[in-house]
Amino acid sequence: GNSVTQMEGPVTLSEEAFLTINCTYTATGYPSLFWYVQYPGEGLQLLLKATKADDKGSNKGFEATYRKETTSFHLEKGSVQVSDSAVYFCALSQGAQKLVFGQGTRLTINP
Amino acid sequence: DAGVTQSPTHLIKTRGQQVTLRCSPKSGHDTVSWYQQALGQGPQFIFQYYEEEERQRGNFPDRFSGHQFPNYSSELNVNALLLGDSALYLCASSLMDRHEQYFGPGTRLTVT
């Protein structure tokens, strides 16, 4: 079945550092890929998405590119802020069906 | 424009009891999905409702059931609660032909 694997956390960085959170997936066909963010005590917010190979999703300085050849969708940000501290989830869906999530990566940014 | 809303925010139940959680989708959305998120884990899909019918179901026992109303709102019912049912229950709404799902704040269920 479909699955998503994220780099293990937690990840701790200093403010203005470069961020990469790795995500790889297993799926048949061409799933849609997503990054969701969960702030403490809250539900999930859609951060960005990509629906076909080589698409780049971007939002709030975060970017991720759909790489079919490596089945990856790594999340990057050039300069993180303390307010980016949260748990980040990579997810996929096929045909507007259920979302399959990775285990999440907790990110802490120190000032 | 109101987003996805869920009630109650928190709930404490005893083993063996039954619980009902409620969800109102984002305005204009017709599909509701429910997820269970255990502490420190990613959300797990429970089921999805569209046109008042269950369209997909994840690997959850029959103790988990749901309903969708004509106004697209939805309920999740869990019978014979177990300690392992303690989790954050998330509702997500979407349009049936679109990939993006928008989540509510969740209901934190604690079973003692």
Side-chain angles (χ1 to χ4, degrees):
Chain A
N2 296 344
S3 65
V4 175
T5 301
Q6 290 181 233
M7 66 183 289
E8 293 189 12
V11 174
T12 302
L13 296 172
S14 298
E15 206 165 21
E16 300 183 2
F18 183 87
L19 168 71
T20 300
I21 300 178
N22 290 338
C23 170
T24 58
Y25 67 90
T26 301
T28 55
Y30 296 88
S32 294
L33 301 174
F34 306 87
W35 277 99
Y36 281 85
V37 58
Q38 187 173 36
Y39 297 101
E42 298 184 11
L44 276 70
Q45 297 179 23
L46 178 61
L47 181 59
L48 53 83
K49 67 175 183 180
T51 57
K52 61 182 186 294
D54 300 325
D55 265 3
K56 177 184 283 188
S58 61
N59 185 27
K60 300 181 181 180
F62 291 90
E63 293 183 339
T65 301
Y66 189 141
R67 300 290 188 197
K68 179 67 176 176
E69 62 277 13
T70 56
T71 61
S72 65
F73 193 55
H74 305 322
L75 182 68
E76 296 182 337
K77 187 175 184 182
S79 177
V80 293
Q81 306 300 313
V82 172
S83 58
D84 294 327
S85 298
V87 181
Y88 291 81
F89 292 95
C90 184
L92 68 80
S93 74
Q94 289 190 284
Q97 303 297 308
K98 65 180 183 181
L99 284 164
V100 175
F101 287 89
Q103 68 271 35
T105 301
R106 181 175 298 279
L107 174 66
T108 301
I109 307 300
N110 294 321
Chain B
D1 177 23
V4 180
T5 60
Q6 293 186 242
S7 63
T9 304
H10 295 88
L11 205 50
I12 300 175
K13 290 287 188 178
T14 304
R15 275 182 301 176
Q17 287 188 318
Q18 178 265 343
V19 68
T20 297
L21 311 181
R22 295 177 176 82
C23 171
S24 291
K26 183 178 170 65
S27 178
H29 284 183
D30 56 10
T31 302
V32 173
S33 303
W34 287 92
Y35 294 81
Q36 179 195 67
Q37 186 180 18
L39 198 62
Q41 302 295 318
Q44 298 292 316
F45 175 76
I46 303 175
F47 42 54
Q48 183 182 79
Y49 277 84
Y50 171 67
E51 292 188 334
E52 303 179 50
E53 291 188 4
E54 183 181 292
R55 295 290 171 154
Q56 294 183 85
R57 189 178 182 91
N59 189 26
F60 279 80
D62 292 344
R63 298 187 296 109
F64 289 76
S65 63
H67 188 76
Q68 185 180 34
F69 299 93
N71 66 353
Y72 307 116
S73 67
S74 177
E75 289 181 349
L76 163 66
N77 300 292
V78 187
N79 294 323
L81 285 166
L82 304 174
L83 295 179
D85 295 332
S86 296
L88 180 68
Y89 287 85
L90 295 165
C91 169
S93 75
S94 59
L95 288 169
M96 190 56 188
D97 59 346
R98 298 296 299 273
H99 298 274
E100 307 88 33
Q101 295 187 20
Y102 294 86
F103 284 81
T107 293
R108 172 73 62 187
L109 172 65
T110 302
V111 181
T112 62

